[in-house]
Every structure is written in structure tokens, then in C-alpha cells.
Amino acid sequence: MAEYYEMKVAGLDRKLKKCAVNDKLDIAAFIMFGDVEVTVESAKQLLPKVPEFDVIVTAESKGIPLAYEMARQSGKPYVVARKTVKLYMTDCISATVNSITTAGEQTLYLDGDKAAMLKGKRVLIADDVISTGESLKSIEAIVNRAGGIIVAKATVLAEGEAADRDDIIFLDRLPLFPKD
């Protein structure tokens, strides 16, 4: 039988399913896909906390709902770093990532046209959860390669030790669940 962790996310009660990362650690899975209420409220609460920005960048795929809603509410564009190169993508820049929720190493790609949108612009990096910070490092590398100026890194939940970081803006803490 599945176990759940109950918490408030952007002030809303949610039950997050616990998932085993390995035999020593469980995490509570936060999935924004399909949760319009949390997505809208999270964007509404994060936007006043971030400095002025020109464009939002997120990684495929779990950060997309948040980036979209923040873009919709702010009227600013958003860009997605993709997990694979699509046929329409040319002159890509890339960075590798080892995320806690993804098995093995992945590479994130940004189309050359999208990268050009970031050059000299104030960039807000947005994601659903920041945990180890590996995905964040990859997005930062892509933004830096594109010539963007990172003004803030915002997330709905800061997981584990990420909640102790002073370089991210977040709404709520999400604990890790060590196993004995």
C-alpha cells in the first residue's frame, strides 16, 4: 500500500506519494501536471518574491506548468531546455544533468533561436522542486552559455538541504525521508 506525505503547497493541502530513490531514501513526489490550482497559486505567490526579469527558463518537463503560468501571469516569455534535440532545433547549446528523480545522466538542450532570446536578458530560472541542485546547475550553464543574466532561481518546493540555500527563492520546504 502506498504511503503519502501530507503538506501545504502554496497554502493548499496536498498528499504527496512517497517513492523510493534507493534502499536508504524515500522522497515525496510533487507533480504539478494536472494540478491547476497549485500551479496557479504557486505562480501567484512566487512572482512578487522575484526581482524584475525579461524571460523565464525551465527544464523539461516538470517545471513547464510553473514556467507557463508565471509567464502567463507576468506577460513575459518562457523557454524550455529540452531533454532531446527535436527536428526543428538548430545550433543547440547543452549541459548534462544528474537529477535525483532521473535514472542516469541526461543532457538538456536549448535551441539556438531560444538561446538568442536570452542574450543580454535578465533570466528567471523556474522549477517545481529543487533538491540536489543538479538540474539547476545545468540550466544555469545553458543560460550562461547563451549570454543571459540570471537574476533569480525560483521553485515551489526546496527539498532536503536545498531549503538551507540562500540562492533560491521557494514557497515551502519538502523533507527527505531516510530509511533506517
Side-chain angles (χ1 to χ4, degrees):
M1 181 174 7
E3 285 187 56
Y4 292 86
Y5 175 69
E6 294 184 23
M7 70 175 291
K8 288 201 179 291
V9 178
L12 303 166
D13 292 324
R14 292 297 182 264
K15 288 173 57 173
L16 309 182
K17 188 176 183 177
K18 286 188 178 180
C19 304
V21 173
N22 55 42
D23 61 349
K24 296 181 180 173
L25 181 66
D26 284 352
I27 60 171
F30 174 61
I31 311 296
M32 292 187 82
F33 289 125
D35 195 337
V36 175
E37 186 180 33
V38 162
T39 303
V40 170
E41 191 59 30
S42 295
K44 183 177 173 183
Q45 291 182 28
L46 278 170
L47 282 168
K49 295 176 179 266
V50 300
E52 192 64 32
F53 63 93
D54 301 309
V55 64
I56 300 166
V57 175
T58 195
E60 189 177 39
S61 64
K62 287 174 48 191
I64 293 173
L66 178 65
Y68 168 83
E69 185 58 24
M70 291 178 83
R72 190 190 70 76
Q73 289 183 24
S74 69
K76 305 286 175 80
Y78 77 102
V79 171
V80 178
R82 305 295 304 259
K83 290 181 180 176
T84 59
V85 175
K86 304 299 180 188
L87 293 175
Y88 57 83
M89 296 171 68
T90 57
D91 302 320
C92 294
I93 56 175
S94 64
T96 58
V97 60
N98 284 300
S99 171
I100 190 171
T101 56
T102 305
E105 185 176 83
Q106 278 192 327
T107 303
L108 294 176
Y109 302 91
L110 190 61
D111 179 67
D113 289 339
K114 299 297 184 191
M117 283 177 58
L118 304 182
K119 188 172 178 75
K121 299 289 196 251
R122 297 170 295 181
V123 175
L124 169 63
I125 297 173
D127 208 350
D128 62 330
V129 178
I130 294 176
S131 185
T132 64
E134 290 301 312
S135 295
L136 184 62
K137 285 181 196 172
S138 293
I139 298 170
E140 288 176 294
I142 285 173
V143 171
N144 288 331
R145 287 182 191 139
I149 304 154
I150 299 168
V151 295
K153 298 164 267 189
T155 187
V156 178
L157 300 176
E159 187 174 48
E161 292 179 8
D164 299 328
R165 294 174 60 153
D166 60 6
D167 66 327
I168 62 172
I169 297 164
F170 63 94
L171 297 180
D172 297 296
R173 295 173 177 261
L174 179 62
L176 294 171
F177 302 92
K179 299 178 190 177
D180 295 328

